[in-house]
């Protein structure tokens, strides 16, 4: 319904994303966005959740899962979280 919504969502995610992490998947269903990514520490994931909760466009971040993985020989943390659009 809103043609510019995808641009706004991607721009907001790029602004709120801390260093030391990257996103693997972004899926939207209705007003809920499912985000999957990888971070070097759990603290970076916590920072992302705090950033999203104070965002002008997003609210109610819900961390679903964090699991330890190995990427190129380095310990990383894969995460999944949901966030709602305002």
């Amino acid at each position: 319904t809103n043609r510019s919504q995808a641009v706004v969502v991607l721009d907001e995610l790029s602004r709120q994303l801390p260093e030391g992490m990257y996103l693997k998947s972004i899926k939207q269903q209705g007003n809920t966005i499912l985000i999957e990514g990888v971070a070097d520490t759990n603290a970076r994931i916590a920072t992302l959740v705090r950033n999203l909760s104070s965002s002008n466009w997003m609210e109610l971040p819900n961390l679903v899962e964090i699991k330890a993985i190995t990427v190129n020989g380095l310990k990383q943390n894969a995460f999944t979280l949901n966030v709602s659009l305002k």
Side-chain angles (χ1 to χ4, degrees), residues 3 7 12 19 21 27-29 40-41 48 50 52 56-57 61 63 68 70 76 79 82 85-86:
R3 293 176 62 163
V7 174
E12 188 67 14
E19 288 185 29
M21 65 184 341
K27 298 176 185 172
Q28 181 177 357
Q29 184 171 5
D40 57 1
T41 65
L48 175 62
R50 279 192 303 275
L52 291 174
N56 292 330
W57 293 96
L63 187 59
T70 303
Q76 302 283 303
F79 67 91
N82 293 318
L85 294 174
K86 287 187 180 178

Side-chain angles (χ1 to χ4, degrees), residues 32-50:
T32 303
I33 299 173
L34 174 68
I35 301 169
E36 296 177 351
V38 177
D40 57 1
T41 65
N42 286 341
R44 305 246 190 225
I45 299 169
T47 300
L48 175 62
V49 171
R50 279 192 303 275

